[in-house]
Amino acid sequence: MQNLEGLMVETGRVIQRRYLLQHLVKQGQVCVVYQGFDQVLQRIVAIKVVPAEQVSTYRAALRLTSQFSHPNIIGVYDVIPESDGLYIVQEHVEGEDFAALLLSQPTIYQIADMGRQICQALMYANTSSRKVCHGDLTPSSILRDRRGAIRVSNFALPSDLTYFNGWSVVGGDGVALADSETPWGQMSELRLADDTRSIGILLYQLLSGRPQGATSVEPPSDGRLRFHRNVPPELCDIVARALIRQHPQRFETPDALYAELKAIADALEPYEPVTSFKSEDVMKPHQMLPTGGTGKLSAASVMVSQERAQSGLLSHYRPDAGLAVSDAPGRVAEATSSDPQLVNPSFPDQAYGYTPMAQSAPRRVNMPVLIVAGLLLFALFFVIGYFLAQMFLH
């Protein structure tokens, strides 16, 4: 990590007679970030101070991303060159960084939804009109705002090779990046695959068994995946397919990973009671309410889970193992089940903590009973009518 002392700016300074530096937010590996105030538009901003030797790199990244506008991407407002470096004025996001997310222990639904949102940001950047890859999707690139939206930053910057080298032991075949030749930010098939794997690494850190109070997750020295006990094997499989380069059903694009994460996030989405109904709100026959726990799982999702288990897509998770451990497709390591932080996946249905709702059989109408009841009612009304007639005639 380079010395950032030279980047420290006195708070209270006004840049370009507009942006007031209020206080230091964080020191990164390359830049220093301050909270500032835009005195023209009267709003809080984030101001990133880039050292002179990195200006050309950041200018190249900004040229690729200057037109980005997406709810999952942190926006750039202004770029100010100064003699001591570059000042990048960005959208200010109140929320949690990745370390805070680890501490907050988000639910399985929230983690799947976070992965889906990260995919959305990358898919936006990957469109044919932009063709931009991230390249440096590490914990420092992720924030979650107060509304629960994931915000991604640092697009098109050089990769943190220390970080990716460390995680290359986990399903990476010892290779940090599949594409280190394409210029930073530019798209290639291998660069897309690297970004997709980066999402898998982030999700694994959130889902892994870790000590209470941990603010970071180190790559396991033996390269095997260990998930928390509450993680559904279905989601374990999705993360493994993103992480393990040799997996036969490996995800190679954010689009493919997004489709799977969206399906599981939709299935786990917490049920909220409806206070008023419209005709279109009535559940269709295939829709199902949650059967317990903190989420809901549709019948279709249960069927998909069963099909995957039967087809061998979950082959690297053993039903009788003490935890979900995987270092390559089809390979499983035994472990003791005494560690409370590690998972004990088993499948099919009950493996995921959900049981499909049993549909009650349609009720049959007992015709003989119905006929007898009709005759009794007829006799009763006949008797009442007879007595009434006798009374009025006399």
Side-chain angles (χ1 to χ4, degrees), residues 62-103:
L62 290 168
R63 279 194 294 269
L64 289 172
T65 61
S66 61
Q67 301 301 315
F68 279 14
S69 178
H70 190 273
N72 294 122
I73 297 176
I74 295 177
V76 176
Y77 296 149
D78 203 354
V79 180
I80 304 166
E82 295 279 344
S83 58
D84 56 346
L86 193 68
Y87 291 80
I88 302 174
V89 183
Q90 296 181 320
E91 177 185 2
H92 179 264
V93 177
E94 284 281 354
E96 302 170 294
D97 61 12
F98 199 80
L101 287 175
L102 289 172
L103 281 174

Side-chain angles (χ1 to χ4, degrees), residues 310-388:
Q310 293 168 1
S311 64
L313 294 184
L314 300 181
S315 58
H316 40 279
Y317 304 105
R318 287 207 13 211
D320 56 346
L323 60 151
V325 182
S326 174
D327 56 355
R331 295 177 56 190
V332 180
E334 292 286 356
T336 131
S337 60
S338 60
D339 190 331
Q341 294 296 324
L342 300 177
V343 334
N344 182 14
S346 58
F347 46 88
D349 296 341
Q350 286 75 12
Y352 312 116
Y354 305 98
T355 305
M357 290 181 64
Q359 296 184 354
S360 58
R363 295 182 178 179
R364 290 187 175 183
V365 178
N366 194 324
M367 289 303 296
V369 173
L370 187 62
I371 292 171
V372 170
L375 291 174
L376 288 174
L377 284 173
F378 174 78
L380 177 63
F381 284 114
F382 178 81
V383 171
I384 292 172
Y386 174 80
F387 281 107
L388 287 174

Side-chain angles (χ1 to χ4, degrees), residues 30-258:
V30 176
C31 302
V32 176
V33 181
Y34 288 86
Q35 179 178 303
F37 186 74
D38 184 344
Q39 298 179 126
V40 174
L41 296 180
Q42 296 290 297
R43 64 181 177 184
I44 297 175
V45 295
I47 301 175
K48 183 180 292 185
V49 186
V50 180
E53 61 271 20
Q54 295 289 335
V55 167
S56 60
T57 299
Y58 275 77
R59 281 188 179 277
L62 290 168
R63 279 194 294 269
L64 289 172
T65 61
S66 61
Q67 301 301 315
F68 279 14
S69 178
H70 190 273
N72 294 122
I73 297 176
I74 295 177
V76 176
Y77 296 149
D78 203 354
V79 180
I80 304 166
E82 295 279 344
S83 58
D84 56 346
L86 193 68
Y87 291 80
I88 302 174
V89 183
Q90 296 181 320
E91 177 185 2
H92 179 264
V93 177
E94 284 281 354
E96 302 170 294
D97 61 12
F98 199 80
L101 287 175
L102 289 172
L103 281 174
S104 68
Q105 298 183 341
T107 66
I108 300 300
Y109 161 72
Q110 289 172 329
I111 294 171
D113 186 58
M114 282 189 269
R116 178 187 63 80
Q117 293 184 60
I118 297 172
C119 288
Q120 283 183 311
L122 268 59
M123 289 161 60
Y124 171 85
N126 296 160
T127 56
S128 58
S129 60
R130 300 177 186 89
K131 296 183 179 179
V132 175
C133 283
H134 193 288
D136 192 37
L137 196 60
T138 65
S140 62
S141 302
I142 303 297
L143 288 172
R144 183 172 70 172
D145 68 21
R146 299 299 186 198
R147 298 171 300 172
I150 292 297
R151 312 301 299 277
V152 183
S153 63
N154 300 336
F155 276 84
L157 292 175
S159 301
D160 181 349
L161 291 178
T162 301
Y163 172 84
F164 289 108
N165 273 322
W167 282 98
S168 66
V169 302
V170 185
D173 301 330
V175 178
L177 299 171
D179 184 356
S180 56
E181 302 297 328
T182 303
W184 302 116
Q186 294 187 20
M187 189 165 66
S188 71
E189 289 185 4
L190 291 178
R191 183 66 56 77
L192 277 176
D194 282 341
D195 276 356
T196 307
R197 184 171 183 273
S198 299
I199 301 172
I201 294 173
L202 292 172
L203 293 178
Y204 172 69
Q205 291 176 68
L206 291 166
L207 294 167
S208 65
R210 58 185 181 274
Q212 189 77 18
T215 58
S216 64
V217 176
E218 295 298 321
S221 57
D222 59 4
R224 294 170 179 172
L225 302 180
R226 292 174 173 83
F227 295 92
H228 192 277
R229 67 168 69 246
N230 297 325
V231 183
E234 187 178 40
L235 185 54
C236 295
D237 179 62
I238 290 174
V239 173
R241 290 170 62 190
L243 260 174
I244 300 172
R245 284 201 169 104
Q246 298 303 318
H247 197 291
Q249 286 86 35
R250 179 193 177 196
F251 297 116
E252 297 187 346
T253 66
D255 305 63
L257 180 56
Y258 168 81

